[in-house]
Amino acid sequence: MPLALLALAVGAFGIGTTEFVIMGLLPEIAADYGVSIPTAGLLVTGYALGVVVGAPLLTVLGTKVSRKQMLMLLMALFVLGNVLSALAPNFGLMLAGRVVASLAHGSFFGIGSVVAADLVAPQKKAGAIATMFTGLTIANIVGVPLGTFIGQAAGWRVTFVIVAALGVVGLLGIARLVPAMPRAEGAHLRRELTAFRNPQVLLAMAMTVLGFGGVFAAITYIAPMMTHVAGYSDGAVTWLLVLFGVGMFLGNLLGGRYADRALMPMLYATLGGLAVVLALFTLTAHSKVLAAITILLVGALGFATVPPLQKRVLDQAHGAPTLASAVNIGAFNLGNALSAWLGGLVIAAGLGYTAPNWVGAALAAAALVLAFWSAALERRTPTRKTAASVPAAAPAHH
C-alpha cells in the first residue's frame, strides 16, 4: 500500500471526526454559549450546507491547480475552520468556523478518490479508494466517541484543537507522501453540467437528500434524547456513538457488497427498513437496551444506502461523473442540514426529544417512494446500460 494512501486516510479521519463529533457535544456547547439545543443544532445544519456549497464550487476551482496542491489547500482550510471553532468567543463565530471547515469536505473526498485511484495499478483502484475511506469509517468508531469523551471531560474546545492537529498531520503527510500530479484535464464545466439533464440523476440525488436525511434527524439530537428520555448518563453517549459507528461500518460493508448485484432492491430494503426503525425509535428511546439496539440499526441501515446511492448517480451520469459525484456528496449533507433543522423545529415546538425520529421516518419513506418512481421511469424509458463500466462505489460522504 502506498504511504500516500495513509496520508489521505488521516485527512479523511479528521474530516469524519469533526463532522460527527458535534452531535455528542451539543449539550455542552449549548450550555457554554447560553443557547438552546435546537439553536446549537444549527452547527450541524451550517456544516452540512457548507459541504453542499463547497463540494461543487471547490471541485470546479480545483481543475485550475494540481490535485496535490488542491488537497493541501483543502486541508489548510479544514485546519483553519477547526481552530476558529476551538477559539470562538461567541456562537456566531463558532458557526462560522464550522462552515469554513465544511467547505473542504466534499472536494477532499472527490479529488482524494481520484488521487488514490491514480496511485495504484488499474486492478487495485477500488481497493485504494476504499483505503482512503477507511479513515472516515474509523473516525466514527474511534474518533467521534473519543472526541466526545474528551470534550465532556476536558471541555469541547479541546476536542476541536485535537481535530485541527489531525488536519495538520494530514496536510504534512500529503505534502510529503503524495507525489506531484498534473492538473485534471478535460474537466469542463459545461460538459459536467450535462449530467444534470438526466432526470434519473436528479431522482438519485433526491433519494440521497431524503434517505440519508432520515438518519441525521435522529442522530443530530442523540445526546439529549438518550440522556433525557432513555436515562443514560452524559458519559454513556460516547459508547452509544461507538455503536452508531459500528453500525455505519457494517452498513457500508453490506451496501458495498450488494450495490453491484441488486442495486434497486437493495435501496428498497434499506430505505424501507430505515423508515420502520426510525418510527419505532420513538418507542424504543424509552428503554436503554432497545435504544442502544436501535442506534446500531439506524447506523447500519442508513449507511447501507450510501454505496448504492453513490453508484446510482455514477451509473446515470455517464460521461460526466466528476461534478455529479461531488454534488451527490453535497446532497448527503443537504439531507443532514434539512433533517437537523426540521428536528430542531419539532423539539422547539414542544413535541419532545423523540419527535425528530418521526421526521426521519417520514424522510426515509419519501426516499423509498422516489426509488420506486425512479425504477418505474427507467422501465418506461430504457437508457444505455452503464453499470458494467462503472466500478462499485466506495462508501461516500459526506
Side-chain angles (χ1 to χ4, degrees):
M1 180 186 75
L3 287 176
L5 291 178
L6 179 60
L8 294 174
V10 170
F13 180 86
I15 291 175
T17 299
T18 205
E19 179 184 18
F20 287 99
V21 78
I22 196 75
M23 283 74 149
L25 298 176
L26 274 187
E28 286 77 15
I29 294 173
D32 196 18
Y33 287 123
V35 299
S36 67
I37 290 290
T39 298
L42 292 175
L43 297 174
V44 178
T45 303
Y47 186 97
L49 290 177
V51 178
V52 174
V53 174
L57 178 62
L58 292 180
T59 297
V60 171
L61 293 177
T63 62
K64 308 300 181 183
V65 299
S66 75
R67 289 168 179 154
K68 177 176 179 176
Q69 289 175 324
M70 192 61 193
L71 286 172
M72 292 172 64
L73 287 172
L74 291 170
M75 288 311 299
L77 194 62
F78 171 79
V79 171
L80 175 63
N82 280 285
V83 169
L84 181 57
S85 293
L87 301 178
N90 57 59
F91 184 78
L93 283 178
M94 171 64 174
L95 180 58
R98 292 286 292 167
V99 172
V100 170
S102 72
L103 293 175
H105 184 123
S107 292
F108 181 86
F109 284 111
I111 297 171
S113 295
V114 176
V115 170
D118 286 348
L119 288 170
V120 298
Q123 68 273 20
K124 296 182 178 179
K125 290 183 181 295
I129 295 172
T131 299
M132 183 191 74
F133 275 96
T134 297
L136 180 65
T137 304
I138 294 175
N140 286 279
I141 298 176
V142 178
V144 172
L146 187 59
T148 301
F149 173 78
I150 292 172
Q152 291 174 342
W156 61 266
R157 294 179 188 275
V158 176
T159 296
F160 284 96
V161 170
I162 293 173
V163 171
L166 283 172
V168 172
V169 173
L171 172 59
L172 294 176
I174 291 169
R176 181 70 182 270
L177 300 174
V178 174
M181 307 184 93
R183 180 174 64 88
E185 298 295 338
H188 301 297
L189 181 59
R190 182 178 298 177
R191 181 187 176 199
E192 293 289 339
L193 287 173
T194 60
F196 297 94
R197 297 177 184 173
N198 183 350
Q200 290 288 4
V201 172
L202 300 180
L203 278 172
M205 290 181 177
M207 283 186 270
T208 296
V209 171
L210 297 174
F212 203 73
V215 176
F216 258 66
I219 297 302
T220 296
Y221 302 99
I222 194 69
M225 191 193 311
M226 290 299 96
T227 55
H228 288 82
V229 179
Y232 280 104
S233 65
D234 290 341
V237 173
T238 298
W239 306 111
L240 292 171
L241 288 174
V242 170
L243 273 181
F244 179 67
V246 170
M248 286 175 56
F249 177 77
L250 296 175
N252 272 327
L253 287 180
L254 183 67
R257 173 170 294 186
Y258 291 102
D260 275 327
R261 302 181 189 178
L263 192 150
M264 293 308 291
M266 181 67 184
L267 282 178
Y268 301 152
T270 52
L271 290 172
L274 182 62
V276 171
V277 168
L278 284 169
L280 289 174
F281 202 7
T282 58
L283 301 176
T284 60
H286 295 273
S287 163
K288 287 185 177 181
V289 174
L290 294 180
I293 294 172
T294 307
I295 288 170
L296 178 70
L297 290 175
V298 169
L301 289 168
F303 277 76
T305 68
V306 174
L309 283 171
Q310 186 74 352
K311 187 174 188 297
R312 181 72 173 171
V313 169
L314 292 173
D315 285 352
Q316 299 299 326
H318 50 78
T322 307
L323 184 59
S325 179
V327 170
N328 199 50
I329 291 175
F332 281 105
N333 287 272
L334 179 58
N336 300 351
L338 174 67
S339 60
W341 175 65
L342 290 174
L345 283 183
V346 294
I347 292 175
L351 299 179
Y353 286 121
T354 62
N357 298 328
W358 284 114
V359 173
L363 291 174
L368 179 61
V369 171
L370 289 183
F372 282 116
W373 183 21
S374 176
L377 182 63
E378 193 168 39
R379 285 193 295 269
R380 289 199 301 268
T381 56
T383 56
R384 180 163 60 89
K385 299 296 183 183
T386 59
S389 63
V390 181
H397 199 61
H398 24 95

